[in-house]
C-alpha cells in the first residue's frame, strides 16, 4: 500500500493491528467486609483483585475507592495510619501510599475518630503475562491508633478496578 500525503498534512498512520491505549480487559472486585487493624504490621483491607495480562508490554491501570476510619483512645489524639496500594499481597511492592492524619482533641470520655474516602489511580508496568494481584494494605503508626476499612460493613462499599491497556 502506498499513502501519499500533501506536505502540509499533519496525521498519524496506525501501522499495527493493536492500537496503543486500547482497553483489552477489565477486572473489578468489591468488598463490604469491615476489617480493623490495631497493629503496626500491614494487613489487607480486604480489597484486592488479580489480572492476567495478555502481553508483557501491557500496562495495568488501577483505580480504587475505599472508606477508612482512624481512631485514637479517649486519652490520646494520636491516630496516624498508613494505606498502601501494593502489587502482590499486603506485604508486596508499594506502588502508591498515603498517610491518614486524624484531627481534633481527645477528651477523657470521647475517643477521637476521623472518616475518609481514599482513592488510588496508578498506571503499572508489571512486564509479565502471569496473574498479577493488586492489594490495598493498612497499618497504624501511632501507639493509641486503630484503622478500619469499610467501617459499617454493607453500608460501606469499596471497589478496585484493573484495566489492561495495550502498550
Amino acid at each position: 500500500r502506498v499513502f501519499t500525503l500533501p506536505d502540509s498534512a499533519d496525521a498519524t498512520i496506525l501501522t499495527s493491528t493493536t492500537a496503543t491505549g486500547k482497553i483489552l480487559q477489565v477486572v473489578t472486585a468489591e468488598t463490604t467486609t469491615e476489617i480493623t487493624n490495631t497493629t503496626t504490621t500491614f494487613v489487607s483491607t480486604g480489597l484486592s483483585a488479580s489480572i492476567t495480562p495478555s502481553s508483557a508490554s501491557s500496562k495495568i491501570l488501577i483505580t480504587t475507592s475505599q472508606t477508612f476510619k482512624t481512631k485514637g483512645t479517649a486519652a490520646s489524639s494520636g491516630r496516624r495510619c498508613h494505606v498502601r496500594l501494593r502489587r502482590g499481597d499486603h506485604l508486596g511492592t508499594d506502588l502508591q501510599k498515603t498517610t491518614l492524619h486524624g484531627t481534633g482533641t481527645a477528651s477523657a470520655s470521647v475517643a477521637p475518630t476521623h472518616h475518609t474516602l481514599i482513592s488510588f489511580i496508578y498506571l503499572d508496568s508489571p512486564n509479565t503475562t502471569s496473574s498479577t494481584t493488586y492489594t490495598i494494605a493498612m497499618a497504624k503508626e501511632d501507639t493509641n491508633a486503630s484503622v478500619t476499612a469499610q467501617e459499617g460493613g454493607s453500608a460501606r462499599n469499596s471497589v478496585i478496578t484493573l484495566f489492561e491497556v495495550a502498550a
Side-chain angles (χ1 to χ4, degrees):
R1 297 182 180 148
V2 175
F3 292 97
T4 304
L5 300 173
D7 291 337
S8 62
D10 184 14
T12 301
I13 297 174
L14 180 63
T15 58
S16 170
T17 58
T18 304
T20 300
K22 179 180 177 184
I23 302 298
L24 303 176
Q25 65 174 308
V26 179
V27 175
T28 298
E30 299 181 14
T31 185
T32 58
T33 303
E34 182 177 313
I35 296 177
T36 298
N37 186 7
T38 59
T39 73
T40 57
T41 302
F42 279 94
V43 301
S44 173
T45 64
L47 189 60
S48 68
S50 297
I51 193 167
T52 303
S54 58
S55 170
S57 64
S58 290
K59 308 289 186 194
I60 306 299
L61 177 64
I62 306 121
T63 66
T64 71
S65 179
Q66 191 166 31
T67 59
F68 291 90
K69 177 184 82 171
T70 57
K71 184 176 181 181
T73 62
S76 169
S77 60
R79 53 194 175 279
R80 187 172 30 242
C81 299
H82 303 285
V83 179
R84 305 283 193 261
L85 168 61
R86 290 184 162 169
R87 184 186 319 120
D89 64 10
H90 62 283
L91 299 175
T93 303
D94 279 346
L95 300 177
Q96 279 191 317
K97 54 189 175 180
T98 191
T99 301
L100 306 176
H101 298 273
T103 57
T105 304
S107 69
S109 61
V110 178
T113 60
H114 179 74
H115 296 265
T116 192
L117 175 72
I118 292 180
S119 296
F120 288 115
I121 300 173
Y122 186 81
L123 185 62
D124 190 28
S125 301
N127 298 314
T128 185
T129 56
S130 298
S131 179
T132 304
T133 300
Y134 296 92
T135 304
I136 304 297
M138 63 183 177
K140 73 171 190 171
E141 178 180 322
D142 291 335
T143 304
N144 297 313
S146 67
V147 59
T148 301
Q150 297 85 234
E151 191 233 354
S154 63
R156 303 287 191 257
N157 189 42
S158 295
V159 179
I160 183 170
T161 304
L162 310 176
F163 301 85
E164 180 184 3
V165 181

